Amino acid sequence: MLANWLSTLQNYRLIAVIRYDHIEQGEKMACILAHSGVKLIEITWNSEQPAKLITILREKLPHCYIGVGTIFHHQDLVTAMEAGSQFCFSPHFDVNLLKLAHNNNIPYIPGALSPTEIINAFNEGAKTVKVFPIQTVGGVNYLKAIRSPISHIPLIPTGGVTIQSAPDYIKAGAIAVGLSTDLFPQDLLLGENWKMISNRVTKIQQELQSIKTTKDLQF
């Protein structure tokens, strides 16, 4: 997975982040995403029984990449990998988590915000860096401003990205985007309106995959 991580991101563009109230709901959300064409699904570690859900999804959705997010500690990453996690996101940068993940052929994507934080994480070996929380510091305009001098670093904006803004991030040079809340609006989720959710997800996945930009990096 580590060797193909960058090309996989560039092919699919969307990492769908799942936060759920109970494991049955999380499983349903993941299956809807997969049915709608999403290939990269992140299970947040602060949800209910995330390791169990990762194991279930690895078996149930073999055509998808199932990863973990919101990882802070060494043992949590070990548990996630034992459950079958294929990639790992953190809201921060931890070189020990990076070494652990990469030694096990798992991409580790740290969160960073300033150019200094992003460059430091990349120089330590992170193949991609999550720019988080991007919306609070200017959204697409912030990505454009920081990317100019660090265009060699593959960036994944996350935190406040919406279905409406996601294409603009890709056009501005992001290798992929992380989408969470806006994939599952609360009213549709509580009402279990899976058809409308699926239609929303299918549309944005197809739109993001169709974007070809001269800002794409070559891998």
Side-chain angles (χ1 to χ4, degrees):
M1 186 65 184
L2 187 59
N4 298 324
W5 178 240
L6 297 177
S7 58
T8 299
L9 289 174
Q10 198 159 274
N11 284 337
Y12 297 116
R13 300 293 195 184
L14 172 63
I15 301 104
V17 183
I18 296 182
R19 292 184 175 86
Y20 53 91
D21 296 326
H22 52 85
I23 194 168
E24 292 81 9
Q25 183 189 56
E27 183 178 349
K28 182 66 175 180
M29 292 167 72
C31 289
I32 289 295
L33 289 170
H35 175 75
S36 306
V38 174
K39 298 297 185 182
L40 293 157
I41 300 174
E42 175 191 329
I43 306 302
T44 54
W45 196 250
N46 52 1
S47 296
E48 182 189 48
Q49 302 183 72
K52 181 179 179 180
L53 183 56
I54 290 169
T55 299
I56 291 171
L57 296 180
R58 283 299 312 276
E59 182 175 349
K60 197 166 186 176
L61 305 174
H63 57 293
C64 292
Y65 298 101
I66 309 300
V68 67
T70 324
I71 289 291
F72 289 94
H73 306 295
H74 179 279
Q75 186 54 52
D76 291 339
L77 180 52
V78 170
T79 303
M81 291 191 298
E82 289 174 347
S85 179
Q86 294 169 285
F87 57 85
C88 169
F89 278 80
S90 287
H92 69 305
F93 175 61
D94 185 323
V95 69
N96 293 317
L97 291 178
L98 183 146
K99 291 177 180 178
L100 174 62
H102 286 195
N103 286 341
N104 286 274
N105 199 34
I106 301 295
Y108 170 72
I109 308 91
L113 192 57
S114 71
T116 297
E117 292 171 342
I118 293 168
I119 293 167
N120 286 345
F122 183 74
N123 287 345
E124 287 287 349
K127 287 185 172 290
T128 50
V129 180
K130 176 175 75 169
V131 187
F132 172 83
I134 194 160
Q135 185 56 35
T136 61
V137 292
V140 174
N141 287 334
Y142 181 72
L143 179 69
K144 290 178 179 177
I146 64 169
R147 194 179 178 279
S148 180
I150 55 172
S151 59
H152 62 291
I153 301 179
L155 302 176
I156 304 174
T158 306
V161 178
T162 66
I163 285 177
Q164 288 71 33
S165 65
D168 293 331
Y169 283 106
I170 300 299
K171 293 172 184 176
I175 190 171
V177 294
L179 261 168
S180 177
T181 306
D182 205 38
L183 289 178
F184 295 95
Q186 197 67 9
D187 59 332
L188 299 182
L189 188 60
L190 291 176
E192 297 188 345
N193 193 335
W194 302 116
K195 182 176 181 180
M196 188 171 289
I197 290 172
S198 179
N199 289 341
R200 287 167 57 86
V201 174
T202 299
K203 183 179 179 181
I204 188 59
Q205 177 65 79
Q206 292 176 347
E207 182 176 357
L208 293 181
Q209 282 187 266
S210 71
I211 297 173
K212 303 299 179 185
T213 170
T214 56
K215 296 180 176 66
D216 280 345
L217 300 173
Q218 299 299 314
F219 307 119

